[in-house]
Amino acid sequence: MIIDKLTNSSYKLTHSSNLDILAKIFDIFNIKYTLHVSSLILYNINSLENFREWRDNLPHPCIDYENTLSIFYKLGSIFLYLEKISFQLSSLDENNMIVVNNDIVIPTNIDNIFSIEKNQISIETPLNNNKYLSLELRNKKILPILTSYKCVYSSLALFIIDIFLGIDKNPSKNSLIEKIKVIYSTRLYWLIRNLLLDDINECLIINI
């Protein structure tokens, strides 16, 4: 996706497909836009950065509890909306996210939105191996990959833990669960823990 700053408060996002779905995601956050054939123009934006730039500009590599909680809820609302219209992402991608107004993280890897059929998605193109690749998809090489649409939940867990506590290279589910014990009994602990249940079909995004 190509991002161009038009004015101090407007940006143009250019992409070849699925912009209608991306536009609906902006609707969730009441962000004004105009939709064109291959671009979205956003208005009344205070700031927009790609995720890497945003993180590099933070005063500390990790963010505080309240901001993390806010980002969780906003990302969670995106995934729940996609499920409502029978679509879902396979994973987040650190190279394909934007941060709007400093706390709305929006995935832009919209080529990786898949149709949900019988609670599964079918991935027919090679996976982009990145920091937040779903735990369920790691080491899967043979295409197509048929997996639960909830595979993105572990990707969300990886992302949230990373921006709050940091993560090690190639973490396992058990190591992530161990990592979040430092915030045991907090709301964020249980929000993350419900993304990392043993049975993927029992995993939940709680957004209240």
Side-chain angles (χ1 to χ4, degrees), residues 7 133 153 185:
T7 70
L133 181 65
Y153 290 17
S185 81

PDB file of all heavy atoms in Angstrom, residues 7 133 153 185:
ATOM      1  N   THR A   7      -2.251  16.908   2.867  1.00  0.00           N
ATOM      2  CA  THR A   7      -2.202  18.141   3.659  1.00  0.00           C
ATOM      3  C   THR A   7      -1.853  17.749   5.083  1.00  0.00           C
ATOM      4  O   THR A   7      -1.615  16.568   5.370  1.00  0.00           O
ATOM      5  CB  THR A   7      -3.557  18.882   3.641  1.00  0.00           C
ATOM      6  OG1 THR A   7      -4.513  18.115   4.395  1.00  0.00           O
ATOM      7  CG2 THR A   7      -4.068  19.080   2.224  1.00  0.00           C
ATOM      8  N   LEU A 133       3.524 -13.316  12.735  1.00  0.00           N
ATOM      9  CA  LEU A 133       2.878 -14.425  12.035  1.00  0.00           C
ATOM     10  C   LEU A 133       2.184 -15.334  13.045  1.00  0.00           C
ATOM     11  O   LEU A 133       2.772 -15.718  14.065  1.00  0.00           O
ATOM     12  CB  LEU A 133       3.907 -15.217  11.233  1.00  0.00           C
ATOM     13  CG  LEU A 133       3.374 -16.398  10.428  1.00  0.00           C
ATOM     14  CD1 LEU A 133       2.432 -15.926   9.329  1.00  0.00           C
ATOM     15  CD2 LEU A 133       4.528 -17.197   9.827  1.00  0.00           C
ATOM     16  N   TYR A 153      -5.915 -14.771  15.992  1.00  0.00           N
ATOM     17  CA  TYR A 153      -5.967 -14.396  17.405  1.00  0.00           C
ATOM     18  C   TYR A 153      -4.600 -14.481  18.071  1.00  0.00           C
ATOM     19  O   TYR A 153      -4.242 -13.634  18.894  1.00  0.00           O
ATOM     20  CB  TYR A 153      -6.965 -15.272  18.159  1.00  0.00           C
ATOM     21  CG  TYR A 153      -8.423 -15.026  17.834  1.00  0.00           C
ATOM     22  CD1 TYR A 153      -8.823 -14.329  16.690  1.00  0.00           C
ATOM     23  CD2 TYR A 153      -9.429 -15.506  18.665  1.00  0.00           C
ATOM     24  CE1 TYR A 153     -10.161 -14.117  16.396  1.00  0.00           C
ATOM     25  CE2 TYR A 153     -10.770 -15.285  18.384  1.00  0.00           C
ATOM     26  CZ  TYR A 153     -11.135 -14.604  17.249  1.00  0.00           C
ATOM     27  OH  TYR A 153     -12.460 -14.382  16.968  1.00  0.00           O
ATOM     28  N   SER A 185      -4.025 -11.146  36.849  1.00  0.00           N
ATOM     29  CA  SER A 185      -5.168 -10.560  37.561  1.00  0.00           C
ATOM     30  C   SER A 185      -5.626  -9.230  36.971  1.00  0.00           C
ATOM     31  O   SER A 185      -6.649  -8.678  37.381  1.00  0.00           O
ATOM     32  CB  SER A 185      -4.924 -10.393  39.071  1.00  0.00           C
ATOM     33  OG  SER A 185      -4.170  -9.226  39.343  1.00  0.00           O
TER      34      SER A 185
END
